[in-house]
Amino acid sequence: MPHRLPLRLAALVAALPSLLNASTAADLCSLVADPCVVNGPVVIAPGSILDFGPRALRLLPNANLTFAGGSIAINAGSLTMLPGATLAGGSPVAGGNLVVRTTGPIELQSAGASKARIDVSSDGTAGLIDLASAGGSIRLDGDLTAHGDGLAGTGGTITLRAPGNITINQGELSVASGDQGVGGEITIL
């Protein structure tokens, strides 16, 4: 009787969510996919520029994009993060820097207690969240966090820019510091 364990093991491994590494938009989806849809864990290399051109980027509830400090940039036609989607970067020493540029809207959604979240917190100095829509609006029902979590941690910077409306409904913007640190800065233009 042939051994079925290798087949069962292969089926089990295939069923597990895979961890994707990305440094370009092409690592996340086909160059013609519009929208580019992400619904799983992705590790983004520091220094990456994810350029989707005019295509939309849509992060579904299981999307968990992380980067270990440094800076990343996302250029897209629009960015939509569904409830539960996460974009986070940083290390224990310093938070990451995230720059998002779109030609259309940026939206972080929520549903009940589940929220989309961008987080560049660190025990030391928190990072930067810079969201800019060149021709649209920004709607935040999700959270933007740039905390300096350690005792002397320093809060980070959050900047929002859009020619249309910038609406903050259920979302929270936070640049808190540790007990002995200095709070960060929030700018809305």
Side-chain angles (χ1 to χ4, degrees):
M1 175 178 230
H3 294 288
R4 298 195 186 269
L5 182 58
L7 291 175
R8 290 182 185 152
L9 183 58
L12 177 62
V13 169
L16 294 174
S18 61
L19 186 62
L20 179 66
N21 291 303
S23 60
T24 69
D27 296 330
L28 294 176
C29 60
S30 155
L31 294 176
V32 295
D34 190 7
C36 175
V37 177
V38 179
N39 194 32
V42 179
V43 176
I44 302 171
S48 294
I49 298 173
L50 305 178
D51 192 347
F52 297 92
R55 298 180 296 143
L57 175 59
R58 187 168 178 85
L59 304 181
L60 300 184
N62 292 325
N64 182 14
L65 282 65
T66 59
F67 60 105
S71 297
I72 68 164
I74 296 173
N75 302 320
S78 65
L79 171 64
T80 304
M81 294 178 66
L82 273 60
T86 302
L87 182 51
S91 71
V93 176
N97 295 321
L98 171 67
V99 176
V100 175
R101 299 288 181 261
T102 66
T103 54
I106 296 172
E107 183 177 9
L108 277 70
Q109 299 178 355
S110 69
S114 180
K115 293 182 176 185
R117 180 175 63 92
I118 298 176
D119 190 342
V120 294
S121 297
S122 171
D123 288 341
T125 302
L128 163 85
I129 300 171
D130 185 349
L131 306 180
S133 172
S137 59
I138 297 176
R139 180 180 176 95
L140 298 178
D141 291 316
D143 296 336
L144 303 180
T145 306
H147 287 178
D149 291 325
L151 181 64
T154 301
T157 302
I158 296 174
T159 302
L160 305 175
R161 289 181 273 201
N165 293 334
I166 296 178
T167 306
I168 303 168
N169 282 333
Q170 301 170 22
E172 179 179 309
L173 281 65
S174 181
V175 291
S177 66
D179 289 343
Q180 297 175 6
V182 176
E185 181 177 300
I186 296 173
T187 304
I188 301 175
L189 303 170

